[in-house]
Amino acid sequence: MRIAVFGANGPTGRHLSTQALAAGHEVVAVTRRPGSLTPLPGLDVAVADATDPAAVDAAIAGTDAVLSALGARFSKETITLYSASATAITGAMTRHGIKRLLAVSSSIADPNWRPTGAHFFNHVLDPLVNRRLGRTLHEDMRRMEAVIRQTDLDWTLVRPSGLFEHPAVTDYHACETSADGVFTARTDLAASMLRELEERRYVRSAMGVITTAVKPNIAKLIWQEGVKKK
């Protein structure tokens, strides 16, 4: 399968591209910074701003599916990357007749998501980090989900919990809507997306993904994912 990966030079997109190539897929890595990607067999690079409809249209031509791993940093300012890119990507897919879309969102997009037994997270970290520091980011994720849900595409909204780095895929857990857990390794997120691409268990639905085998350092996670500038 020939797959377009948006956000291919980001932390999740790199895992996604590497795992897709290892699984025998061809990958079109869509990025604004082509020099940041290492050339690999089966990997083509398309230079495009994901919010530019014309650039996105050209980037996905000839692909069989689109996987979006776009991400933004927390900001006090209004964030539009998720919703604007969703509008450009779904429009281009419709024009090209490409049906399959998987887009990374967040467990926060589920208003009923509260991990079982995670008292400190539910009452301290979630209100402070997700609902305050990440408010504008998650608002735009919800707008993105609304844009995608309105289409006739075979979409899956992929909802990880707190993302962190881990060197290998684990025995992750996936379920409909959102998963009952606090953390998700990016390797597991990528693996779950490629598995769903093949199995199609959550078409026109949301899929929650969590990692249960390992846990990150919480202070380091907050710094790297929400505060540190790259």
Side-chain angles (χ1 to χ4, degrees), residues 40-171:
L40 294 170
L43 178 71
D44 294 327
V45 177
V47 182
D49 182 330
T51 64
D52 181 341
V56 170
D57 194 281
I60 70 171
T63 61
D64 303 302
V66 175
L67 278 60
S68 176
L70 292 165
R73 289 282 176 183
F74 289 173
S75 173
K76 295 180 181 179
E77 305 301 323
T78 299
I79 293 173
T80 60
L81 171 65
Y82 297 99
S83 56
S85 63
T87 300
I89 290 170
T90 57
M93 291 179 67
T94 299
R95 287 189 293 273
H96 284 284
I98 304 166
K99 295 289 290 183
R100 193 68 172 111
L101 170 65
L102 290 91
V104 175
S105 180
S106 170
S107 294
I108 300 297
D110 175 8
N112 299 315
W113 178 69
R114 290 293 184 277
T116 302
H119 182 83
F120 181 71
F121 177 85
N122 288 331
H123 297 282
V124 180
L125 287 183
D126 186 46
L128 174 62
V129 178
N130 293 323
R131 314 291 172 174
R132 183 175 298 179
L133 296 177
R135 179 180 60 82
T136 58
L137 184 149
H138 294 117
E139 286 174 347
D140 197 42
M141 278 188 170
R142 294 186 185 96
R143 289 192 290 268
M144 173 193 72
E145 289 200 355
V147 168
I148 292 173
R149 287 180 185 277
Q150 291 170 3
T151 71
D152 292 326
L153 302 175
D154 293 341
W155 49 264
T156 301
L157 301 170
V158 186
R159 291 173 170 174
S161 296
L163 290 169
F164 70 99
E165 288 296 333
H166 186 67
V169 177
T170 74
D171 186 19

Side-chain angles (χ1 to χ4, degrees), residues 5-18 27 69-70 186 190:
V5 176
F6 283 82
N9 61 336
T12 298
R14 289 178 183 272
H15 288 297
L16 195 52
S17 298
T18 300
V27 174
L70 292 165
R186 287 193 172 90

Side-chain angles (χ1 to χ4, degrees), residues 209-221:
V209 184
I210 57 167
T211 296
T212 59
V214 292
K215 295 181 180 180
N217 178 286
I218 295 178
K220 183 178 180 181
L221 175 69

